[in-house]
């Protein structure tokens, strides 16, 4: 039976009612983070952790980071959100997906990319003694929430952190993120971030 990760998260929120745990939230970009921050800020003290070595250029990496920082400043959230931006290290991504360059978007290359980013989030959560960690990635209809949660749980066990189960596309989360993106005038890219997804997006646009 498929796991409903939205319900799993709601159980955690009920269990934690009355306190404000610290959450390390891996963020891929401002648009995807918008609804997630809106929904989680009433329950957690959040650090938005920006680590995405899959992004195809330093300029794109910096642009997305600045938009996330702006959103965290401008959005009226129940609790303030701090943002940490890791250095741009694309070699880590290319090492992680070597040999998978020709696999279509949504396949095993993406799974390796999920793990790369969630390992870093788990390490940061453990080092910072956060109560939980999770990622915004599951808000996308193109991201495999089951894979993300399986990898997150495995990383939690491996690094001694606690994973917050989630599937943020549930309950119209993606629809709300598009509305918030328009409201805040967020830069909204038409590809996930890596050079492979950009090429696929360009091919779709030319077809």
């Amino acid at each position: 039976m498929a796991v409903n990760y939205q319900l799993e998260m709601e159980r955690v929120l009920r269990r934690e009612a009355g306190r404000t745990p610290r959450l390390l939230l891996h963020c891929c970009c401002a648009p995807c983070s918008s609804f997630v921050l809106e929904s989680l800020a009433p329950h957690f003290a959040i650090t938005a952790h920006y680590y995405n070595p899959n992004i195809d250029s330093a300029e794109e990496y910096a642009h997305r980071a600045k938009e996330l920082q702006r959103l965290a400043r401008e959005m009226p959230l129940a609790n303030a959100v701090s943002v940490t931006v890791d250095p741009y290290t694309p070699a880590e991504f290319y090492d992680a997906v070597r040999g998978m360059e020709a696999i279509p978007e949504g396949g095993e290359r993406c799974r390796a990319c999920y793990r790369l980013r969630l390992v870093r989030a788990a390490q940061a959560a453990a080092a910072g003694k956060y109560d939980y960690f999770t990622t915004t990635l599951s808000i996308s209809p193109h991201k495999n929430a089951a894979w993300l949660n399986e990898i997150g749980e495995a990383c939690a066990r491996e690094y001694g952190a606690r994973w917050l189960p989630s599937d943020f596309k549930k309950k119209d989360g993606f629809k709300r993120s598009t509305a918030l993106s328009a409201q805040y005038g967020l830069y909204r890219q038409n590809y996930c971030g890596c050079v492979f997804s950009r090429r696929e997006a360009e091919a779709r646009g030319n077809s």
Side-chain angles (χ1 to χ4, degrees), residues 92-101 108-110 112-113 196:
E92 295 178 358
F93 169 70
Y94 291 112
D95 286 345
V97 302
R98 185 172 290 116
M100 294 183 273
E101 293 86 351
E108 287 299 321
R109 186 184 65 239
C110 292
C113 184
F196 311 110

Side-chain angles (χ1 to χ4, degrees), residues 53-58 60-61 64 88 94 191 193-195 198:
N54 57 306
I55 292 177
D56 64 339
S57 71
E60 181 75 9
Y61 191 85
R64 296 191 192 196
Y88 180 53
Y94 291 112
Y191 67 106
C194 73
V195 65
R198 177 169 58 79

